[in-house]
């Protein structure tokens, strides 16, 4: 999902930067507020950031014969709501743009919009939807992780199609081409990311119960409640 | 016991998901989708010139993969630290405090 440095025409690069900026600024304020009001959240915030840091560094093979990396933004979106991930995801992208020549400064806005804004919000939406339909916590987490991953790559494909429409078939033709590269490869990775999210949440529900209850992810357990 | 079984099965499923394409995929090069997209742009718009260069590029692919490993390593250390602290806290809550030592 990293659009390479310089590979968006300047108006697009500027436009996506302007679109993503308010989300990132709002996200930064949310992180500061969370840490100030609930210092005990810092550990889990660190875990959410670290999860994205690990997963976006690992390129995995897919059945299509190409490789790609997961995003890991669904975890923080479920725990702290999506705005927090707008900041954490952008920090990861900035790190990769500056040190790894992966993505870029001119494409940071577009990449942040797909990975740090659309992904977390779609994942959070899936999480709420599964829970509302009576699905348990773990299926909801699976949906959040898998769809935040997939939605990020679909967004990148659409951003590229918008910037480079096909000479004959226009935006739709280009979208089909870029989706063919990004979306299909991503399906097994999204499933894998969903399973990893379930694994992590199984650990968190046992060991971070008080935090998850406060964040509204778990219901207070009446048996364990203090009298 | 059942809890551990589910954990093992989940881990195996993740491993299988990425090992199977590698084993069954034959001699594919597993090019990254990011670079495939870049190639697609260069094919369909040969006249497009990237208008900005990366501020810093790792000199070789070895250095690059090292930096990616560093990124994953740092993330893994932080994640492990958090999970370890949370688990330690729970275990400490479960064991009663030792009786005061008389001197």
């Amino acid at each position: 999902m990293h659009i390479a440095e310089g590979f968006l025409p300047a108006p697009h690069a500027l436009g996506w930067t302007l679109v993503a900026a308010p989300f990132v600024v709002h996200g930064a304020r949310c992180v500061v507020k969370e840490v100030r009001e609930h210092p005990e959240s810092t550990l889990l915030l660190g875990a959410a950031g670290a999860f994205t840091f690990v997963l976006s560094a690992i390129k995995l093979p897919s059945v299509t014969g190409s490789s790609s990396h997961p995003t890991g933004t669904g975890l923080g979106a479920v725990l702290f709501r999506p705005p927090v991930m707008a900041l954490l995801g952008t920090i990861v992208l900035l790190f990769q743009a500056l040190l790894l020549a992966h993505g870029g400064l001119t494409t940071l806005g577009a990449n942040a919009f797909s990975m740090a804004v659309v992904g977390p919000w779609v994942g959070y939406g899936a999480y709420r939807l599964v829970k509302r339909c009576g699905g348990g916590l773990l299926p909801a987490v699976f949906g959040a992780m898998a769809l935040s991953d997939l939605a990020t790559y679909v967004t990148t494909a659409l951003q590229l199609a918008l910037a480079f429409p096909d000479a004959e078939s226009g935006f739709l033709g280009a979208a089909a081409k870029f989706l063919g590269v990004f979306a299909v490869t991503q399906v097994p990775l999204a499933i894998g990311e969903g399973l990893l999210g379930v694994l992590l949440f199984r650990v968190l529900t046992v060991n971070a119960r008080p935090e998850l209850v406060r964040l509204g992810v778990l219901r207070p357990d009446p048996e364990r409640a203090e009298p | 016991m059942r809890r551990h079984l589910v954990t093992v099965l989940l881990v195996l499923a993740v491993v299988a998901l990425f090992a199977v394409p590698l084993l069954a995929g034959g001699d594919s090069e597993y090019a990254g989708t990011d670079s495939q997209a870049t190639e697609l742009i260069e094919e369909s718009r040969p006249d497009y010139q990237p208008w900005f260069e990366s501020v810093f590029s790792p000199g070789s692919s070895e250095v690059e993969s090292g930096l990616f490993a560093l990124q994953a390593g740092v993330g893994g250390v932080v994640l492990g630290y958090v999970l370890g602290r949370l688990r330690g806290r729970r275990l400490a809550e479960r064991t009663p405090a030792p009786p005061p030592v008389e001197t």
Side-chain angles (χ1 to χ4, degrees):
Chain A
M1 47 70 56
H2 293 81
I3 301 175
E5 183 76 284
F7 267 87
L8 273 184
H12 286 259
L14 184 67
W16 288 115
T17 305
L18 292 178
V19 171
F23 287 96
V24 178
V25 171
H26 176 232
R29 296 176 67 157
C30 289
V31 171
V32 170
K33 185 162 170 262
E34 181 72 29
V35 171
R36 198 170 284 163
E37 289 176 9
H38 303 283
E40 71 274 19
S41 288
T42 316
L43 267 185
L44 280 184
L45 267 174
F51 193 61
T52 299
F53 216 59
V54 179
L55 286 195
S56 61
I58 301 175
K59 293 198 185 138
L60 293 161
S62 176
V63 283
T64 52
S66 42
S67 65
S68 192
H69 63 83
T71 60
T73 52
L75 173 71
V78 167
L79 288 177
F80 295 103
R81 299 187 18 94
V84 166
M85 288 319 291
L87 177 73
L88 298 184
T90 305
I91 291 175
V92 176
L93 289 169
L94 190 63
F95 174 88
Q96 293 182 319
L98 288 177
L99 287 181
L100 299 169
H102 207 62
L105 295 178
T106 59
T107 52
L108 184 65
N111 290 337
F113 187 74
S114 63
M115 183 172 131
V117 176
V118 175
W121 275 107
V122 169
Y124 185 68
Y127 168 78
R128 293 292 297 265
L129 191 71
V130 174
K131 275 200 128 179
R132 181 165 298 175
C133 296
L137 173 68
L138 294 182
V141 166
F142 179 84
M145 303 295 293
L147 287 182
S148 63
D149 182 330
L150 205 56
T152 300
Y153 280 81
V154 169
T155 307
T156 303
L158 297 181
Q159 287 171 326
L160 284 174
L162 209 58
F164 299 99
D166 198 78
E168 287 139 35
S169 48
F171 169 75
L172 286 180
K177 259 191 329 190
F178 286 114
L179 282 171
V181 169
F182 281 119
V184 186
T185 300
Q186 206 61 26
V187 170
L189 270 74
I191 295 172
E193 182 169 349
L195 293 177
L196 279 179
V198 169
L199 270 170
L200 191 58
F201 256 82
R202 282 161 51 87
V203 176
L204 289 181
T205 48
V206 173
N207 294 307
R209 206 173 176 87
E211 282 86 356
L212 294 191
V213 169
R214 188 186 66 72
L215 292 166
V217 176
L218 284 179
R219 286 224 189 90
D221 191 343
E223 286 171 30
R224 294 195 196 188
E226 299 290 329
Chain B
M1 207 48 219
R2 187 165 162 267
R3 200 181 147 75
H4 287 296
L5 184 68
V6 174
T7 306
V8 170
L9 287 178
L10 277 171
V11 172
L12 283 179
V14 174
V15 172
L17 203 58
F18 300 114
V20 167
L22 268 186
L23 296 175
D27 51 356
S28 171
E29 286 179 4
Y30 293 102
T33 49
D34 289 345
S35 51
Q36 285 180 332
T38 309
E39 282 165 23
L40 209 57
I41 295 171
E42 284 166 343
E43 252 170 53
S44 60
R45 287 283 195 86
D47 55 317
Y48 182 80
Q49 287 293 326
W51 54 283
F52 201 80
E53 291 289 314
S54 294
V55 281
F56 165 78
S57 289
S60 67
S61 61
E62 282 80 6
V63 176
E64 186 186 333
S65 57
L67 285 169
F68 268 107
L70 183 71
Q71 187 192 333
V74 169
V77 165
V78 173
L79 196 59
Y81 171 79
V82 171
L83 293 181
R85 271 198 58 173
L86 290 172
R87 185 176 149 77
R89 183 189 67 182
R90 182 173 66 94
L91 294 181
E93 278 168 4
R94 218 165 48 176
T95 31
V101 182
E102 285 178 37
T103 48

PDB file of all heavy atoms in Angstrom, chain B residues 40-57:
ATOM      1  N   LEU B  40       3.384  -0.873 -13.035  1.00  0.00           N
ATOM      2  CA  LEU B  40       2.148  -0.677 -13.793  1.00  0.00           C
ATOM      3  C   LEU B  40       2.031   0.773 -14.253  1.00  0.00           C
ATOM      4  O   LEU B  40       1.646   1.059 -15.397  1.00  0.00           O
ATOM      5  CB  LEU B  40       0.965  -1.049 -12.896  1.00  0.00           C
ATOM      6  CG  LEU B  40      -0.290  -1.584 -13.563  1.00  0.00           C
ATOM      7  CD1 LEU B  40       0.031  -2.808 -14.396  1.00  0.00           C
ATOM      8  CD2 LEU B  40      -1.323  -1.937 -12.498  1.00  0.00           C
ATOM      9  N   ILE B  41       2.404   1.701 -13.368  1.00  0.00           N
ATOM     10  CA  ILE B  41       2.348   3.120 -13.730  1.00  0.00           C
ATOM     11  C   ILE B  41       3.347   3.402 -14.847  1.00  0.00           C
ATOM     12  O   ILE B  41       3.031   4.073 -15.840  1.00  0.00           O
ATOM     13  CB  ILE B  41       2.658   4.002 -12.500  1.00  0.00           C
ATOM     14  CG1 ILE B  41       1.580   3.834 -11.427  1.00  0.00           C
ATOM     15  CG2 ILE B  41       2.772   5.466 -12.910  1.00  0.00           C
ATOM     16  CD1 ILE B  41       1.916   4.479 -10.110  1.00  0.00           C
ATOM     17  N   GLU B  42       4.557   2.855 -14.690  1.00  0.00           N
ATOM     18  CA  GLU B  42       5.592   3.116 -15.697  1.00  0.00           C
ATOM     19  C   GLU B  42       5.207   2.524 -17.055  1.00  0.00           C
ATOM     20  O   GLU B  42       5.560   3.071 -18.099  1.00  0.00           O
ATOM     21  CB  GLU B  42       6.937   2.544 -15.221  1.00  0.00           C
ATOM     22  CG  GLU B  42       7.574   3.416 -14.147  1.00  0.00           C
ATOM     23  CD  GLU B  42       8.726   2.728 -13.424  1.00  0.00           C
ATOM     24  OE1 GLU B  42       8.833   1.501 -13.512  1.00  0.00           O
ATOM     25  OE2 GLU B  42       9.503   3.453 -12.758  1.00  0.00           O
ATOM     26  N   GLU B  43       4.463   1.404 -17.023  1.00  0.00           N
ATOM     27  CA  GLU B  43       4.022   0.787 -18.279  1.00  0.00           C
ATOM     28  C   GLU B  43       2.948   1.620 -18.960  1.00  0.00           C
ATOM     29  O   GLU B  43       3.016   1.898 -20.156  1.00  0.00           O
ATOM     30  CB  GLU B  43       3.426  -0.586 -17.973  1.00  0.00           C
ATOM     31  CG  GLU B  43       4.282  -1.759 -18.394  1.00  0.00           C
ATOM     32  CD  GLU B  43       3.712  -3.040 -17.824  1.00  0.00           C
ATOM     33  OE1 GLU B  43       2.503  -3.304 -18.031  1.00  0.00           O
ATOM     34  OE2 GLU B  43       4.459  -3.768 -17.147  1.00  0.00           O
ATOM     35  N   SER B  44       1.932   2.007 -18.183  1.00  0.00           N
ATOM     36  CA  SER B  44       0.793   2.677 -18.802  1.00  0.00           C
ATOM     37  C   SER B  44       1.092   4.151 -19.067  1.00  0.00           C
ATOM     38  O   SER B  44       0.485   4.761 -19.934  1.00  0.00           O
ATOM     39  CB  SER B  44      -0.448   2.522 -17.919  1.00  0.00           C
ATOM     40  OG  SER B  44      -0.214   3.104 -16.661  1.00  0.00           O
ATOM     41  N   ARG B  45       2.012   4.741 -18.323  1.00  0.00           N
ATOM     42  CA  ARG B  45       2.374   6.146 -18.527  1.00  0.00           C
ATOM     43  C   ARG B  45       3.886   6.280 -18.629  1.00  0.00           C
ATOM     44  O   ARG B  45       4.534   6.742 -17.696  1.00  0.00           O
ATOM     45  CB  ARG B  45       1.902   6.977 -17.331  1.00  0.00           C
ATOM     46  CG  ARG B  45       0.419   7.210 -17.254  1.00  0.00           C
ATOM     47  CD  ARG B  45      -0.008   8.292 -18.245  1.00  0.00           C
ATOM     48  NE  ARG B  45      -1.345   8.736 -17.916  1.00  0.00           N
ATOM     49  CZ  ARG B  45      -1.613   9.676 -17.023  1.00  0.00           C
ATOM     50  NH1 ARG B  45      -0.632  10.291 -16.415  1.00  0.00           N
ATOM     51  NH2 ARG B  45      -2.849   9.992 -16.756  1.00  0.00           N
ATOM     52  N   PRO B  46       4.444   5.868 -19.782  1.00  0.00           N
ATOM     53  CA  PRO B  46       5.910   5.904 -19.894  1.00  0.00           C
ATOM     54  C   PRO B  46       6.450   7.330 -19.764  1.00  0.00           C
ATOM     55  O   PRO B  46       7.633   7.506 -19.438  1.00  0.00           O
ATOM     56  CB  PRO B  46       6.175   5.357 -21.311  1.00  0.00           C
ATOM     57  CG  PRO B  46       4.874   4.771 -21.764  1.00  0.00           C
ATOM     58  CD  PRO B  46       3.786   5.430 -21.002  1.00  0.00           C
ATOM     59  N   ASP B  47       5.590   8.312 -19.983  1.00  0.00           N
ATOM     60  CA  ASP B  47       6.075   9.697 -19.936  1.00  0.00           C
ATOM     61  C   ASP B  47       6.105  10.246 -18.512  1.00  0.00           C
ATOM     62  O   ASP B  47       6.636  11.332 -18.274  1.00  0.00           O
ATOM     63  CB  ASP B  47       5.181  10.587 -20.806  1.00  0.00           C
ATOM     64  CG  ASP B  47       3.726  10.478 -20.407  1.00  0.00           C
ATOM     65  OD1 ASP B  47       3.273   9.338 -20.156  1.00  0.00           O
ATOM     66  OD2 ASP B  47       3.034  11.516 -20.330  1.00  0.00           O
ATOM     67  N   TYR B  48       5.536   9.503 -17.546  1.00  0.00           N
ATOM     68  CA  TYR B  48       5.474  10.055 -16.189  1.00  0.00           C
ATOM     69  C   TYR B  48       6.845  10.035 -15.529  1.00  0.00           C
ATOM     70  O   TYR B  48       7.518   9.007 -15.492  1.00  0.00           O
ATOM     71  CB  TYR B  48       4.474   9.273 -15.326  1.00  0.00           C
ATOM     72  CG  TYR B  48       4.348   9.853 -13.941  1.00  0.00           C
ATOM     73  CD1 TYR B  48       3.561  10.978 -13.715  1.00  0.00           C
ATOM     74  CD2 TYR B  48       5.059   9.319 -12.868  1.00  0.00           C
ATOM     75  CE1 TYR B  48       3.469  11.537 -12.448  1.00  0.00           C
ATOM     76  CE2 TYR B  48       4.970   9.879 -11.597  1.00  0.00           C
ATOM     77  CZ  TYR B  48       4.169  10.986 -11.402  1.00  0.00           C
ATOM     78  OH  TYR B  48       4.087  11.551 -10.155  1.00  0.00           O
ATOM     79  N   GLN B  49       7.246  11.169 -15.019  1.00  0.00           N
ATOM     80  CA  GLN B  49       8.532  11.263 -14.315  1.00  0.00           C
ATOM     81  C   GLN B  49       8.270  11.488 -12.830  1.00  0.00           C
ATOM     82  O   GLN B  49       7.615  12.463 -12.472  1.00  0.00           O
ATOM     83  CB  GLN B  49       9.348  12.451 -14.864  1.00  0.00           C
ATOM     84  CG  GLN B  49       9.922  12.223 -16.245  1.00  0.00           C
ATOM     85  CD  GLN B  49      10.981  11.131 -16.243  1.00  0.00           C
ATOM     86  OE1 GLN B  49      11.720  10.973 -15.284  1.00  0.00           O
ATOM     87  NE2 GLN B  49      11.034  10.356 -17.315  1.00  0.00           N
ATOM     88  N   PRO B  50       8.750  10.583 -11.963  1.00  0.00           N
ATOM     89  CA  PRO B  50       8.648  10.857 -10.526  1.00  0.00           C
ATOM     90  C   PRO B  50       9.320  12.195 -10.238  1.00  0.00           C
ATOM     91  O   PRO B  50      10.420  12.443 -10.733  1.00  0.00           O
ATOM     92  CB  PRO B  50       9.418   9.699  -9.880  1.00  0.00           C
ATOM     93  CG  PRO B  50       9.461   8.636 -10.909  1.00  0.00           C
ATOM     94  CD  PRO B  50       9.421   9.305 -12.239  1.00  0.00           C
ATOM     95  N   TRP B  51       8.643  13.041  -9.479  1.00  0.00           N
ATOM     96  CA  TRP B  51       9.140  14.415  -9.340  1.00  0.00           C
ATOM     97  C   TRP B  51       9.836  14.637  -7.998  1.00  0.00           C
ATOM     98  O   TRP B  51      10.180  15.746  -7.633  1.00  0.00           O
ATOM     99  CB  TRP B  51       8.002  15.408  -9.534  1.00  0.00           C
ATOM    100  CG  TRP B  51       6.835  15.142  -8.617  1.00  0.00           C
ATOM    101  CD1 TRP B  51       5.903  14.162  -8.785  1.00  0.00           C
ATOM    102  CD2 TRP B  51       6.504  15.823  -7.422  1.00  0.00           C
ATOM    103  NE1 TRP B  51       5.003  14.192  -7.752  1.00  0.00           N
ATOM    104  CE2 TRP B  51       5.346  15.216  -6.904  1.00  0.00           C
ATOM    105  CE3 TRP B  51       7.053  16.907  -6.728  1.00  0.00           C
ATOM    106  CZ2 TRP B  51       4.746  15.638  -5.722  1.00  0.00           C
ATOM    107  CZ3 TRP B  51       6.440  17.328  -5.568  1.00  0.00           C
ATOM    108  CH2 TRP B  51       5.300  16.692  -5.077  1.00  0.00           C
ATOM    109  N   PHE B  52      10.060  13.553  -7.266  1.00  0.00           N
ATOM    110  CA  PHE B  52      10.729  13.703  -5.980  1.00  0.00           C
ATOM    111  C   PHE B  52      11.468  12.404  -5.674  1.00  0.00           C
ATOM    112  O   PHE B  52      10.976  11.329  -5.988  1.00  0.00           O
ATOM    113  CB  PHE B  52       9.702  13.994  -4.879  1.00  0.00           C
ATOM    114  CG  PHE B  52      10.296  14.637  -3.657  1.00  0.00           C
ATOM    115  CD1 PHE B  52      10.564  15.994  -3.625  1.00  0.00           C
ATOM    116  CD2 PHE B  52      10.580  13.865  -2.527  1.00  0.00           C
ATOM    117  CE1 PHE B  52      11.113  16.582  -2.490  1.00  0.00           C
ATOM    118  CE2 PHE B  52      11.140  14.459  -1.394  1.00  0.00           C
ATOM    119  CZ  PHE B  52      11.399  15.821  -1.382  1.00  0.00           C
ATOM    120  N   GLU B  53      12.656  12.526  -5.130  1.00  0.00           N
ATOM    121  CA  GLU B  53      13.441  11.336  -4.798  1.00  0.00           C
ATOM    122  C   GLU B  53      13.419  11.112  -3.301  1.00  0.00           C
ATOM    123  O   GLU B  53      13.301  12.068  -2.529  1.00  0.00           O
ATOM    124  CB  GLU B  53      14.898  11.528  -5.253  1.00  0.00           C
ATOM    125  CG  GLU B  53      15.070  11.539  -6.756  1.00  0.00           C
ATOM    126  CD  GLU B  53      14.858  10.162  -7.367  1.00  0.00           C
ATOM    127  OE1 GLU B  53      15.412   9.193  -6.812  1.00  0.00           O
ATOM    128  OE2 GLU B  53      14.135  10.049  -8.366  1.00  0.00           O
ATOM    129  N   SER B  54      13.553   9.852  -2.880  1.00  0.00           N
ATOM    130  CA  SER B  54      13.611   9.565  -1.457  1.00  0.00           C
ATOM    131  C   SER B  54      14.765  10.333  -0.823  1.00  0.00           C
ATOM    132  O   SER B  54      15.842  10.433  -1.415  1.00  0.00           O
ATOM    133  CB  SER B  54      13.831   8.072  -1.223  1.00  0.00           C
ATOM    134  OG  SER B  54      12.708   7.354  -1.669  1.00  0.00           O
ATOM    135  N   VAL B  55      14.525  10.881   0.367  1.00  0.00           N
ATOM    136  CA  VAL B  55      15.568  11.659   1.024  1.00  0.00           C
ATOM    137  C   VAL B  55      16.757  10.770   1.374  1.00  0.00           C
ATOM    138  O   VAL B  55      17.896  11.205   1.390  1.00  0.00           O
ATOM    139  CB  VAL B  55      15.029  12.352   2.295  1.00  0.00           C
ATOM    140  CG1 VAL B  55      14.241  13.582   1.916  1.00  0.00           C
ATOM    141  CG2 VAL B  55      14.183  11.412   3.126  1.00  0.00           C
ATOM    142  N   PHE B  56      16.477   9.510   1.679  1.00  0.00           N
ATOM    143  CA  PHE B  56      17.562   8.582   2.020  1.00  0.00           C
ATOM    144  C   PHE B  56      17.192   7.199   1.510  1.00  0.00           C
ATOM    145  O   PHE B  56      16.090   6.731   1.721  1.00  0.00           O
ATOM    146  CB  PHE B  56      17.764   8.539   3.538  1.00  0.00           C
ATOM    147  CG  PHE B  56      18.589   7.364   4.004  1.00  0.00           C
ATOM    148  CD1 PHE B  56      19.969   7.369   3.868  1.00  0.00           C
ATOM    149  CD2 PHE B  56      17.978   6.237   4.561  1.00  0.00           C
ATOM    150  CE1 PHE B  56      20.721   6.276   4.287  1.00  0.00           C
ATOM    151  CE2 PHE B  56      18.732   5.152   4.981  1.00  0.00           C
ATOM    152  CZ  PHE B  56      20.108   5.177   4.843  1.00  0.00           C
ATOM    153  N   SER B  57      18.105   6.572   0.771  1.00  0.00           N
ATOM    154  CA  SER B  57      17.863   5.203   0.317  1.00  0.00           C
ATOM    155  C   SER B  57      18.940   4.298   0.889  1.00  0.00           C
ATOM    156  O   SER B  57      20.122   4.608   0.770  1.00  0.00           O
ATOM    157  CB  SER B  57      17.912   5.126  -1.209  1.00  0.00           C
ATOM    158  OG  SER B  57      16.792   5.757  -1.750  1.00  0.00           O
TER     159      SER B  57
END
